[in-house]
Amino acid sequence: MLSLTTANADGDHEAIGEDVWKLPLFDAHVHYKEPAWDRYSVKSIVELMDQNGVAMALVSSTPDEGTVMLWEYAPNRIVPELRPYHGAAGSSNWTKMDGMDSYLEERLESYPHEGIGEFHIRQLDTSDEALFRKIIAMAKERDIYLHVHSGTEPIRWLYGLDPEVKIIWAHAGLGSPAPEVYALMDEFPELLADTSLREYNILGRGETLDPQWLEIIFDFQDRLMIGSDTWVNSQWDSYSEIMTTNRLWLSKLPREVAEKIAYKNAERYFGREITMDQIGTK
């Protein structure tokens, strides 16, 4: 167990410190991709969640069958979302694949997905507008999220297509510097974000959190969730370390803020009750 500091988080409220280990976690960025199926059974995935106090997870997979397998095994622990990637459709070409809209519609009709994504918009191509309008319509019809891996420009473009679309910004932009993250979150007051792969940006290099990220966390505390991003098997191999690192930066926040980002925001977004009592159940 890492040693956690108990320094005041904001100069006024005491940090949650070691009590962070008592919080259930909602992992808002999980993939159970085909290369993991043989190495990590569905049972072992849920056991990893148990070992790390992860009560529930938002899961998308390449292909979608991975998500369905996990959800069927542990329906009370898995919130499924639909990733477009399957067959020859991958992160760089999925918007150009014939029948993509039909594939998404069919899967959404067959399974209780609560999001579409995580999908990549690596470079904005406005010729994809017709497909994205269909995807937004599917999401709005079901009142579910788009989970978008992109920079800032595609997020603005999606809101331009429909300002009421519900978006989770994967990795809080990943390559976007903190000031750009702040500006986008400030511009769109309904935008949510997961912080997967941002743990070390947030932690900074000293005893306190990075000041720019601390500003993001405090100002948008109601719209953030942690995540692991198990996009390759090495992330599953390091899952305990990743979740411990998330608890480390959460430990430096006031209790109320840490609880929101650890699980309470997800309770509101997905209409769930999330508790430590879920650990060890399916």
Side-chain angles (χ1 to χ4, degrees), residues 217-232:
I217 289 165
F218 275 106
D219 285 1
F220 308 116
Q221 60 189 267
D222 295 316
R223 295 193 270 143
L224 301 173
M225 299 176 286
I226 63 164
S228 61
D229 191 13
T230 51
W231 67 287
V232 289

Side-chain angles (χ1 to χ4, degrees), residues 16 31 81 146 188 227 236 248 268-269 275:
I16 188 172
H31 302 300
E81 58 178 355
L146 303 187
F188 298 103
W236 283 120
L248 177 57
R268 290 188 295 108
Y269 304 153
T275 74

Side-chain angles (χ1 to χ4, degrees), residues 37-94:
W37 298 352
D38 288 337
R39 185 165 176 178
Y40 286 96
S41 66
V42 290
K43 181 175 183 288
S44 69
I45 295 295
V46 175
E47 287 173 347
L48 268 176
M49 292 170 61
D50 290 342
Q51 291 163 18
N52 289 281
V54 178
M56 198 171 289
L58 180 64
V59 180
S60 67
S61 304
T62 308
D64 186 47
E65 282 77 7
T67 296
V68 172
M69 286 191 293
L70 261 184
W71 169 73
E72 289 180 337
Y73 178 76
N76 295 318
R77 306 285 298 281
I78 304 301
V79 179
E81 58 178 355
L82 174 58
R83 201 172 207 194
Y85 310 158
H86 67 287
S91 63
S92 61
N93 68 345
W94 69 276

Side-chain angles (χ1 to χ4, degrees), residues 26 40 46 94 104 117 142 145 155 157 190 233 249 253 264 280:
F26 182 93
Y40 286 96
V46 175
W94 69 276
L104 294 173
R142 296 165 175 83
Y145 292 92
I155 300 295
W157 182 72
E190 301 301 318
N233 281 352
W249 71 262
L253 300 174
K264 285 188 174 180

